[in-house]
Amino acid sequence: MSASEPGRITSGRGVVVTRTGGGPGVVARLATAGSWFVVRPVIAIWSKTWRFPWPYFLVDLAAVLLPPVRGVERARVRLRNCEAEHTRIAGAGSDSAILYLHGGAWLVGGLRSHRRLVSRLARDTGVPVLAVNYRKLPHASVSDAFDDCLDGFRRLRTAGIAADRIAVVGDSAGGYFALRVALEGLHGGLGAPGALVCLSPIIDLEPSSKLASASVNDPLFPASALHAMWQMTLASERDRDALEKLLTPASATEAELRGLPPTLIQVGGGEILRPDSEDIAARLAAAGVRVTLEVYPGQLHVFQVGADVIPEARSAVASITEHIRTALRASRRVAA
């Protein structure tokens, strides 16, 4: 199915619904051009020099200029090995929560870079959000980062929030963590969350399969970046068991996926990661999970963070909001 071709993909016992809007507007086109001519060349250079001591912390530091949306209050939370941030509108109830896991190739980003999106979700859904600033490469492994994400889920459970009253949301690398947290909750005794949202997730960390069918015209990521991310990930892991666990989302069987909550996946039509979104959506549907795959033609990787200026991003965030509200309402009715 092409990026601009609306319709639905039927797979096994489930249906993956692909909703596509029109082409990108003027602001989205400008953002794409800026990414292609400014950001992509930097990432291409990084992919050939990833062993150098790049100042990755500067990305999140620069985002200090991005305040949360109005009408929310924030508080820092300390997890075992990292910090997190709790965001909510004043007076929001405490019987439900969103766990937000940011992207950034396990290297960059954090609480500041995603504060606008996180606070928008807290405001629009009325559900408090716990955003985890997990440890990052090259100083910690991807396995360490996942442990931090899982600690965020544990913190919410310890606070008395039922698993099915938690929506787990992640973008890019955080989308990978979101799926892994949901799987661990389902099979590890913490309980499956009530909703799952993955924005342009990377599912298979080993890039060869997706590169065989992916777009080579992604305005953000050259193919060399995925190879560099994989090599850096390999270099960070301590043993073979840890490495095998990293591949869990890509190798999960139908039986392992069965029982996951209603899932929303959003991805740009020309993204190099689009094959991952389509593959996991089809496999979730085959496992009987209610899943919606939304493909947005001409949109950048994780364009949702630009909801302040990109109309299509606002529409995408509205869809995320509705998905979380609907799924958590359903879980409340089941509990009642």
Side-chain angles (χ1 to χ4, degrees):
M1 180 175 292
S2 69
S4 60
E5 185 181 341
R8 54 177 54 185
I9 307 168
T10 304
S11 178
R13 293 186 300 275
V15 175
V16 179
V17 180
T18 303
R19 296 209 302 258
T20 58
V26 173
V27 177
R29 291 178 187 274
L30 289 173
T32 297
S35 178
W36 186 273
F37 292 108
V38 178
V39 183
R40 195 178 196 271
V42 174
I43 294 178
I45 294 171
W46 167 82
S47 68
K48 294 176 171 42
T49 60
W50 60 268
R51 291 180 177 84
F52 291 3
W54 284 70
Y56 298 112
F57 69 94
L58 291 178
V59 173
D60 195 51
L61 184 61
V64 71
L65 300 174
L66 300 174
V69 300
R70 293 181 179 180
V72 301
E73 53 189 29
R74 297 177 289 122
R76 285 297 176 101
V77 176
R78 182 67 194 175
L79 302 179
R80 285 189 308 160
N81 296 299
C82 71
E83 284 192 329
E85 188 169 81
H86 188 258
T87 304
R88 67 172 190 168
I89 58 175
S94 59
D95 69 331
S96 59
I98 296 171
L99 177 67
Y100 195 92
L101 308 173
H102 72 82
W106 304 290
L107 286 165
V108 298
L111 301 178
R112 299 182 187 92
S113 63
H114 286 67
R115 189 167 280 153
R116 293 291 290 180
L117 178 57
V118 165
S119 59
R120 190 181 297 275
L121 289 177
R123 184 194 66 187
D124 294 354
T125 62
V127 178
V129 182
L130 181 68
V132 178
N133 189 26
Y134 53 81
R135 290 169 288 175
K136 299 174 185 65
L137 296 171
H139 306 296
S141 68
V142 176
S143 295
D144 291 333
F146 172 68
D147 287 343
D148 294 342
C149 296
L150 195 58
D151 274 348
F153 192 72
R154 289 194 185 99
R155 170 61 65 92
L156 295 174
R157 296 289 286 114
T158 302
I161 301 174
D164 63 0
R165 299 292 300 148
I166 300 172
V168 183
V169 184
D171 67 90
S172 193
Y176 163 86
F177 286 140
L179 181 57
R180 277 197 68 187
V181 166
L183 285 168
E184 181 65 25
L186 177 63
H187 299 292
L190 288 170
L196 178 61
V197 179
C198 297
L199 313 179
S200 302
I202 180 168
I203 301 299
D204 190 351
L205 305 192
E206 202 286 315
S208 58
S209 61
K210 75 172 66 56
L211 291 179
S213 58
S215 168
V216 296
N217 294 317
D218 187 312
L220 186 63
F221 291 118
S224 59
L226 298 189
H227 287 295
M229 287 168 57
W230 176 233
Q231 291 304 314
M232 202 169 190
T233 298
L234 290 175
S236 76
E237 293 304 321
R238 292 178 292 274
D239 54 54
R240 181 176 294 275
D241 288 342
L243 184 60
E244 289 179 356
K245 288 181 181 178
L246 287 183
L247 301 176
T248 297
S251 61
T253 65
E254 184 176 314
E256 290 168 332
L257 295 172
R258 187 174 300 120
L260 286 176
T263 301
L264 172 64
I265 301 171
Q266 295 180 342
V267 67
E271 287 196 58
I272 202 168
L273 294 178
R274 180 176 170 180
D276 275 15
S277 293
E278 293 178 331
D279 176 66
I280 192 61
R283 291 196 293 120
L284 285 168
V289 177
R290 192 168 81 244
V291 57
T292 299
L293 171 65
E294 296 181 350
V295 181
Y296 290 81
Q299 296 299 326
L300 276 172
H301 181 66
V302 194
F303 65 99
Q304 295 87 347
V305 298
D308 288 308
V309 294
I310 300 175
E312 298 88 348
R314 289 194 289 274
S315 296
V317 172
S319 181
I320 296 168
T321 298
E322 181 60 26
H323 175 78
I324 292 173
R325 284 176 169 173
T326 300
L328 295 188
R329 277 200 303 265
S331 69
R332 180 179 282 133
R333 287 196 298 270
V334 171

